Amino acid sequence: FRFASLQSETGKALREKFGIPAMDSLVVLENSRYYAKSSAILRICRHLAGAWKLLYIFWLVPKPLRDSVYDFVAKHRYKWFGKRDHCLMPASDVRARFLDERQ
């Protein structure tokens, strides 16, 4: 996987190129198509190793229901997992996968 913030110059260019509306959500680009919210999570799971692949079965759940669960988790994630004052700095091998770092 390669990463870009949707607010970065690279992210803005990708949003324009693929017709991605402005949103506050995870977005995955795959085969010139974009997926957001629960669909993005499931596309990622599909490519992970091990038991994570099994979560792709939730693709069968209707999207409005999946996205409702996604929104619920997004709304409560800081309460459940905490919030940091600073972002963790990724190691150089991970940082190299950020599209904006390569410019």
Side-chain angles (χ1 to χ4, degrees):
F1 293 101
R2 308 245 329 263
F3 309 96
S5 165
L6 290 174
Q7 296 79 22
S8 69
E9 292 304 315
T10 300
K12 289 176 187 175
L14 289 169
R15 281 187 21 228
E16 185 175 313
K17 179 178 180 178
F18 294 101
I20 302 169
M23 64 178 75
D24 186 19
S25 176
L26 173 68
V27 175
V28 170
L29 283 171
E30 188 175 48
N31 299 324
S32 299
R33 186 167 176 204
Y34 77 89
Y35 302 89
K37 294 188 175 191
S38 65
S39 297
I41 295 290
L42 294 175
R43 297 306 279 196
I44 291 169
C45 287
R46 183 174 165 210
H47 294 285
L48 296 176
W52 291 106
K53 280 185 179 292
L54 298 176
L55 292 177
Y56 194 69
I57 191 76
F58 287 103
W59 195 263
L60 298 172
V61 174
K63 188 176 183 309
L65 181 58
R66 286 189 282 121
D67 282 349
S68 293
V69 172
Y70 177 94
D71 291 337
F72 180 81
V73 172
K75 182 178 178 180
H76 295 92
R77 71 183 184 269
Y78 293 131
K79 184 169 79 172
W80 297 336
F81 305 111
K83 184 175 181 180
R84 297 177 186 258
D85 291 332
H86 303 49
C87 292
L88 295 174
M89 293 302 296
S92 60
D93 61 324
V94 174
R95 200 171 33 238
R97 296 189 318 195
F98 282 80
L99 297 174
D100 294 325
E101 293 289 329
R102 298 180 153 235
Q103 297 178 355

